[in-house]
Amino acid sequence: EDFQVGEIINVQARTWSGINKPGGVARITRINPNGTYNVTYVLGGKENEVDSVFISRQEDKGKRKRRETAEAALPTALLQSLAAQGFDVMGTVTLEEAKEAGATDDSAPRR
């Protein structure tokens, strides 16, 4: 099987006498000329020259959906409180528009 740089894959655990490589979910960072792969594990760590026989495609187990609206992401009472204080809780003002109106990061109080 051919894999691509950046692809999320699963590396099989290789734990036998003299070998202690637990494997796991990783991202391919390089395809080596000898047909092996360099990977970076999602939970940390790197491994070089992993043979393709130990690599399989990561199955999509249903990606988490991001919340699309501010109403779904924050409690209603908090949104109402922020709106009463003049915050744009609906996301209708762009950063550029806010800066033109005089609301810049420089005007925020420093702690």
Side-chain angles (χ1 to χ4, degrees), residues 20-78:
N20 186 21
K21 297 181 179 181
V25 178
R27 180 181 307 271
I28 294 176
T29 56
R30 181 176 177 202
I31 302 170
N32 300 308
N34 64 359
T36 62
Y37 299 88
N38 292 2
V39 300
T40 299
Y41 289 98
V42 172
L43 296 178
K46 296 178 180 184
E47 189 173 348
N48 294 329
E49 298 192 356
V50 178
D51 196 296
S52 63
V53 298
F54 300 114
I55 297 176
S56 60
R57 284 199 161 58
Q58 177 66 19
E59 294 181 24
D60 183 10
K61 296 181 181 177
K63 292 183 178 180
R64 294 180 188 175
K65 293 183 181 178
R66 292 187 180 197
R67 296 180 183 183
E68 296 181 11
T69 62
E71 293 85 6
L74 297 173
T76 304
L78 176 59

Side-chain angles (χ1 to χ4, degrees), residues 76-94:
T76 304
L78 176 59
L79 288 172
Q80 291 171 341
S81 173
L82 291 170
Q85 295 175 38
F87 287 93
D88 176 30
V89 296
M90 299 306 292
T92 55
V93 177
T94 66

